Amino acid sequence: MSKTIIIGGVAGGATAAARLRRRNEAMEIVMFERGDYISYANCGLPYYIGDVIQSRDALLLQTPEAMKAKFNIDVRISSEVQKINRNAQTIQVRNLKTGEEYEESYDTLLIATGSSPLKPPIPGIDGSHIYTLWTIPDTDIIKEVVTKEMPKRAAVIGGGFIGLEMAENLHKAGIEVTIIEMQDQVMAPVDYEMAQLLHENISANHVELILKDGVSSFETVEEHTVIHLKSGREIIADMVLLSIGVHPNSELAKGAGLELNSRGGIIVDEFLRTSDEHIYAVGDVIEVDHYVSGDKTMIPLAGPANKQGRICADNIDGEQVSYKGTMGTSVAQVFDLTAAAVGMNEKALKAAGKQKGIDYETVLINQKSHAGYYPGATPITLKLIFDRNGSIYGAQIVGQDGVDKRIDTIAVTMRLKGTIYDLAELELAYAPPYSSAKDPVNMLGFVAQNVLEGLASFIEYDEMDELLTDEDKKNTYIILDVTEDVERMVFSIPDSVHIPLGKLRSRLGELDKDKLIIPYCAIGVRSYNAARILTQNGFSQVKILSAGTAFYKSMHDQGFSRNREPENRDSRGNSGSRLADGDNGETPLCDCKEITIINCCGLQCPGPIMKVHEALSGLKEGQILQVSATDMGFAKDIDAWCRRTGNLLIKTERKDRENIVYIKKGAGRCECGTIQASPPSSAIPQGKTLIVFSGDLDKVLASFIIANGAAAMGRPVTMFFTFWGLNALRKEEKQHVQKSAIEKMFGTIMPRGTKKLKLSKMNMGGMGTKMMKKVMKDKNVSSLEELMNHALAGGIKLVACTMSMDVMGIKKEELIDGVEFAGVTSYLGSAEEANVNLFV
């Protein structure tokens, strides 16, 4: 009778044990587990902490007693395998409860030791209020902290699956949450633009998100943890959750001399056998083949671990079953959204392309989760990556509903070697509550097919931004808005030409055929139709704005700025509603007129805005309109529309998956006097914007004097620093950042900070500058440094032009704290809300 020892339980080990017994009743099977639990739902742990899963027992999938009774498996918990003796085919075991040590022999050994949370050597990381979530005991500790100590503030370090799920569940528990992520995005499996949809929604849920900033140290102060960030910022938290990543538990394998990769993963062959023919390995601890690229990788997911356990059991019992690799199919709930990915993302392809010359195409589309006319339809954004032959590299999806079944459909297609043409041809189940006659997956195939056949060409959001900031190309293109008049009141790209789609054929003569034409609409359907009209009427250069303005606006949402604090919270940290100016949060809705209610849920753009416009037209001044919509961006859109049309947005709130807004027609006093509000200040733009182009001391001084004066009047002010003006924002101390030789030369020649700026006239080798500063001091005129500090404290936005920074070799680390980074589009957005625009 052969004997198999399995080290580790949970996904891979427990699955292998059960499969082995089903295949071989006579085999002796012994499982060793260092902890007290052999099989539990580790993916469900955050939801137990957030009370979504209320029964702790529901997390325990198998117990040692059940494994013995059902499968006749000898399960030994609290037993740590300390050493593998390959020559003797034995293991050395220590009973952690009794201290007893003994040897156990094996014919076949399976290593399923999994992985553990990373704890990098950051000073203070072992503080008493710092936790990791990986096991049942971890969960018990955190659950007790949340329920008994009732912390008010929590910080989650890391924006991966567990980090985001924990942030959401801590937030649901009424805790004020800050997420700190060192990279420029959360959720690494998706590309930046898809992650930005998550950033926007995290901010909308009043959770602070700090990106591109790492932890330098932790400090315990009284009962709190002070998190010192590399930027110099400090975050105070009552509890800290580490979710930085995982590393394979391969110490046993290393001690036994098994072959490992550079990351510590155990190298196995296609049959999951290690470099020792008697030892197999599965799960997070092993290196696998990526199913799409063929490269070696490590993908710590429960699904692949379970499948590996099953295959490994077959092979231990004498079969020769190959494990064909992992695609990394994953899905996670992130607040109101679900994010999913399969295969390779664009970041990975770009890196691989440099080495292997991989070429690829992408399409990105906005669809509805089911038929728009059926209640409850919500937006869903899909990205597909494929090659010129139609083979699929990967896909990413973000939305509120139906994300999981779409990513699974694409994953199955990829696993069966299907192409984008197969996506177009898939016959999928359709009924209005579940899908559309042309499912979003079909639409991905249609659009990809159009790209390969030359029927459509797209410009991405970042390419559009580059075009808008390139002065040399200013006269080479026309941005064409094909939306309706009422939509243009909500949003328009600066300097765009407005011709609604229905009028395009009759107005083609207004467009220059020698220029690149970029049509855009809300989600991309009308702009595609416009592109086909243009192309077939002699316009040879046409590119459609990918996914429309709904997506474009999300890419420019700054709600997750690292300097933004959470807003509108109650004492338990719950997000509140946005109220009209002057509202104290308790303002009742008008009761002199019956509220008119309209439902725009599921309507395809521009349906919601059109319906609001139509409904308000039928109301009298002062009457109230209540509107519900499932579009995530509806609240922002209606806010902009109300400000431009002179109506008053009273309140916005979120219930389940709907945005509920209350609008009063007009902006004066209602008949009963309940609502009294002046016209919103932005009905007549009151903002002030300044382009600080000059780096001369006197001109920069003038800019800040004007800006502070405007801010003192209660006006929103944006200062956009470009080219030489950027020098005023530089830190005085030299920063240690990597630069090219030219960038270093620029940095040496240009003045570093305010104290190095000179007068534009009468500088006289620096004498004039010194005289000016002395006179200012004698006359009690604030210095430039004081004016800048006053501006930051007063809420003035200091924006550094990223394009100019790139040209001049200035890095973000070299600029003072509090500066935002954006392109010209961001400035133009502020300029549209301003009645004064100055160039200094």
Side-chain angles (χ1 to χ4, degrees):
M1 180 175 66
S2 64
K3 179 179 179 181
T4 296
I5 286 180
I6 300 172
I7 307 174
V10 194
T15 296
R19 175 70 171 175
L20 265 175
R21 176 58 72 225
R22 286 192 291 266
R23 288 187 60 99
N24 191 328
E25 184 66 20
M27 180 181 289
E28 181 182 357
I29 305 172
V30 185
M31 179 188 295
F32 292 91
E33 171 57 48
R34 182 168 51 186
D36 293 333
Y37 304 91
I38 59 164
S39 182
Y40 56 88
N42 51 359
C43 295
L45 302 183
Y47 300 102
Y48 171 63
I49 290 171
D51 271 344
V52 177
I53 298 171
Q54 296 188 351
S55 171
R56 180 181 181 275
D57 291 342
L59 299 171
L60 306 178
L61 305 179
Q62 287 286 357
T63 64
E65 295 78 15
M67 289 290 279
K68 179 65 176 177
K70 295 177 182 178
F71 299 103
N72 191 27
I73 293 172
D74 181 3
V75 178
R76 304 180 193 178
I77 58 173
S78 301
S79 296
E80 183 177 31
V81 177
Q82 297 184 313
K83 185 178 181 182
I84 300 171
N85 302 305
R86 290 170 55 191
N87 292 334
Q89 288 187 215
T90 62
I91 59 171
Q92 185 175 326
V93 186
R94 184 172 187 267
N95 187 313
L96 297 179
K97 291 185 176 178
T98 66
E100 175 194 2
E101 293 190 6
Y102 61 94
E103 282 191 345
E104 194 80 25
S105 64
Y106 66 83
D107 296 303
T108 306
L109 180 66
L110 171 58
I111 300 175
T113 46
S115 58
S116 296
L118 279 171
K119 289 188 72 174
I122 299 173
I125 198 167
D126 293 318
S128 57
H129 303 294
I130 301 175
Y131 310 94
T132 58
L133 178 65
W134 203 245
T135 64
I136 292 290
D138 293 341
T139 308
D140 292 337
I141 292 170
I142 296 172
K143 182 74 170 179
E144 185 173 9
V145 170
V146 171
T147 55
K148 293 185 178 180
E149 298 181 16
M150 292 192 295
K152 293 182 179 179
R153 297 164 297 184
V156 176
I157 315 299
F161 287 95
I162 292 178
L164 293 177
E165 289 167 352
M166 274 304 300
E168 178 184 353
N169 281 281
L170 291 173
H171 177 67
K172 285 179 179 177
I175 300 171
E176 183 178 304
V177 180
T178 297
I179 302 171
I180 301 168
E181 169 56 56
M182 189 166 60
Q183 303 302 319
D184 64 352
Q185 67 167 82
V186 300
M187 209 167 204
V190 303
D191 288 312
Y192 173 81
E193 68 270 25
M194 300 297 280
Q196 171 67 344
L197 299 174
L198 304 179
H199 300 161
E200 183 182 35
N201 189 250
I202 290 168
S203 175
N205 278 277
H206 302 283
V207 168
E208 185 181 18
L209 176 59
I210 300 174
L211 297 174
K212 295 187 289 186
D213 207 349
V215 178
S216 60
S217 67
F218 297 98
E219 179 186 5
T220 301
V221 178
E222 296 178 348
E223 293 302 312
H224 309 297
T225 299
V226 179
I227 306 165
H228 299 277
L229 302 183
K230 292 180 180 178
S231 64
R233 186 176 174 185
E234 295 180 352
I235 303 295
I236 299 175
D238 302 312
M239 66 177 295
V240 177
L241 183 88
L242 299 177
S243 183
I244 300 171
V246 297
H247 65 87
N249 295 329
S250 57
E251 295 82 4
L252 274 174
K254 182 178 180 181
L258 297 178
E259 190 177 354
L260 307 180
N261 67 13
S262 59
R263 295 169 59 187
I266 301 175
I267 296 175
V268 296
D269 63 14
E270 63 179 305
F271 306 113
L272 301 171
R273 187 185 292 113
T274 69
S275 52
D276 185 314
E277 63 177 342
H278 301 291
I279 302 177
Y280 292 79
V282 297
D284 294 2
V285 76
I286 69 169
E287 175 186 85
V288 297
D289 292 331
H290 196 291
Y291 185 78
V292 178
S293 69
D295 295 332
K296 300 295 183 181
T297 186
M298 297 187 71
I299 301 179
L301 292 172
N306 274 280
K307 294 173 184 63
Q308 292 159 15
R310 177 184 172 88
I311 290 171
C312 189
D314 290 349
N315 292 334
I316 290 172
D317 195 44
E319 299 290 340
Q320 289 284 292
V321 183
S322 296
Y323 181 67
K324 296 181 175 63
T326 301
M327 293 194 296
T329 310
S330 57
V331 65
Q333 181 175 302
V334 185
F335 294 90
D336 301 306
L337 298 174
T338 298
V342 62
M344 299 182 71
N345 57 34
E346 198 171 353
K347 292 174 292 188
L349 277 169
K350 284 180 179 177
K354 294 177 181 178
Q355 300 175 350
K356 301 180 180 180
I358 296 175
D359 193 15
Y360 64 91
E361 299 283 347
T362 66
V363 294
L364 194 148
I365 63 173
N366 265 326
Q367 293 291 298
K368 294 289 184 184
S369 57
H370 59 249
Y373 57 82
Y374 187 88
T378 57
I380 182 170
T381 303
L382 305 93
K383 178 177 181 178
L384 187 70
I385 310 171
F386 53 99
D387 68 13
R388 296 296 303 175
N389 296 317
S391 296
I392 303 170
Y393 284 126
Q396 300 156 39
I397 308 178
V398 174
Q400 296 179 72
D401 192 27
V403 170
D404 54 342
K405 72 174 183 176
R406 270 67 188 229
I407 206 70
D408 286 343
T409 302
I410 298 170
V412 170
T413 304
M414 292 173 63
R415 186 55 85 157
L416 297 178
K417 303 294 184 183
T419 67
I420 60 107
Y421 302 104
D422 294 302
L423 294 183
E425 294 175 5
L426 285 176
E427 184 178 341
L428 302 171
Y430 161 61
Y434 306 108
S435 185
S436 301
K438 291 181 285 189
D439 188 87
V441 171
N442 295 136
M443 292 300 298
L444 268 181
F446 296 155
V447 177
Q449 189 174 346
N450 285 340
V451 168
L452 294 185
E453 293 175 358
L455 295 177
S457 181
F458 292 91
I459 184 170
E460 304 302 324
Y461 80 96
D462 51 347
E463 295 173 321
M464 173 72 93
D465 289 346
E466 290 178 14
L467 202 60
L468 289 170
T469 57
D470 192 334
E471 293 296 323
D472 293 336
K473 295 183 179 179
K474 190 172 184 179
N475 296 316
T476 64
Y477 62 86
I478 296 172
I479 301 174
L480 177 61
D481 181 350
V482 298
T483 67
E484 300 301 317
D485 292 341
V486 68
E487 293 175 88
R488 197 164 169 85
M489 292 181 183
V490 173
F491 177 81
S492 62
I493 294 177
D495 299 323
S496 58
V497 174
H498 184 218
I499 304 177
L501 179 62
K503 300 179 180 179
L504 181 58
R505 287 184 178 85
S506 62
R507 295 176 59 181
L508 289 173
E510 300 175 26
L511 303 174
D512 188 342
K513 290 185 177 181
D514 293 328
K515 293 184 177 181
L516 168 65
I517 312 295
I518 306 172
Y520 75 81
C521 63
I523 63 171
V525 175
R526 286 170 290 171
S527 49
Y528 169 66
N529 290 326
R532 295 306 303 143
I533 293 171
L534 292 165
T535 302
Q536 294 178 82
N537 279 277
F539 291 83
S540 58
Q541 303 179 73
V542 181
K543 285 185 177 290
I544 305 158
L545 178 60
S546 185
T549 56
F551 186 78
Y552 186 77
K553 285 183 289 184
S554 291
M555 294 305 101
H556 296 84
D557 179 80
Q558 295 299 313
F560 65 94
S561 168
R562 70 176 193 173
N563 297 308
R564 181 183 183 274
E565 299 294 336
E567 300 170 350
N568 298 331
R569 290 182 174 277
D570 61 22
S571 60
R572 291 288 291 161
N574 297 314
S575 59
S577 56
R578 179 195 180 281
L579 303 171
D581 294 340
D583 200 340
N584 63 5
E586 300 297 331
T587 300
L589 296 175
C590 177
D591 54 10
C592 68
K593 293 283 191 295
E594 183 177 327
I595 296 176
T596 301
I597 300 175
I598 61 171
N599 188 328
C600 299
C601 293
L603 283 185
Q604 197 81 340
C605 198
I609 292 294
M610 298 287 286
K611 205 166 182 180
V612 169
H613 177 70
E614 179 184 334
L616 275 179
S617 300
L619 298 183
K620 294 181 180 179
E621 196 83 3
Q623 288 187 308
I624 305 296
L625 180 67
Q626 175 188 319
V627 188
S628 57
T630 47
D631 185 354
M632 296 293 287
F634 176 71
K636 288 183 180 180
D637 285 350
I638 203 67
D639 187 12
W641 184 83
C642 285
R643 286 186 281 118
R644 293 195 178 195
T645 57
N647 296 297
L648 179 66
L649 177 61
I650 302 170
K651 183 169 77 168
T652 71
E653 58 189 15
R654 187 160 178 82
K655 294 181 180 178
D656 297 323
R657 294 182 174 180
E658 296 181 9
N659 289 303
I660 314 294
V661 305
Y662 298 87
I663 305 166
K664 184 175 77 68
K665 184 172 181 178
R669 181 192 298 266
C670 62
E671 292 178 13
C672 69
T674 301
I675 300 173
Q676 303 176 46
S678 303
S681 62
S682 35
I684 302 172
Q686 296 294 316
K688 318 296 176 188
T689 54
L690 297 89
I691 299 177
V692 185
F693 176 84
S694 172
D696 295 328
L697 174 63
D698 45 338
K699 294 178 182 178
V700 176
L701 268 170
S703 300
F704 275 97
I705 291 170
I706 295 168
N708 281 312
M713 296 171 63
R715 308 301 189 231
V717 181
T718 297
M719 302 179 73
F720 188 71
F721 291 80
T722 183
F723 285 98
W724 315 119
L726 288 168
N727 291 314
L729 302 180
R730 294 180 72 191
K731 295 175 182 175
E732 294 179 27
E733 306 83 11
K734 185 176 181 180
Q735 303 298 307
H736 298 288
V737 291
Q738 287 189 340
K739 289 190 173 187
S740 65
I742 294 178
E743 288 174 336
K744 289 179 181 178
M745 188 179 300
F746 262 112
T748 303
I749 295 172
M750 294 186 301
R752 185 183 294 120
T754 54
K755 293 181 180 178
K756 299 293 184 181
L757 301 184
K758 300 177 181 178
L759 292 176
S760 60
K761 298 183 183 296
M762 297 176 59
N763 183 54
M764 298 182 295
M767 286 295 296
T769 302
K770 292 179 181 179
M771 290 169 60
M772 171 69 78
K773 291 181 179 179
K774 183 179 186 308
V775 171
M776 289 173 64
K777 184 176 181 181
D778 294 343
K779 300 287 185 180
N780 292 319
V781 176
S782 297
S783 67
L784 177 54
E785 292 77 20
E786 291 170 333
L787 288 169
M788 291 177 73
N789 291 331
H790 189 68
L792 286 167
I796 294 174
K797 288 174 63 176
L798 308 186
V799 182
C801 174
T802 50
M803 182 275 293
S804 298
M805 290 172 63
D806 289 340
V807 170
M808 302 175 72
I810 297 176
K811 307 298 182 183
K812 293 181 179 180
E813 295 85 352
E814 296 183 272
L815 301 188
I816 61 174
D817 293 337
V819 174
E820 298 181 22
F821 303 94
V824 69
T825 305
S826 175
Y827 161 74
L828 292 173
S830 298
E832 278 201 329
E833 301 288 332
N835 61 358
V836 172
N837 295 287
L838 300 177
F839 185 94
V840 181

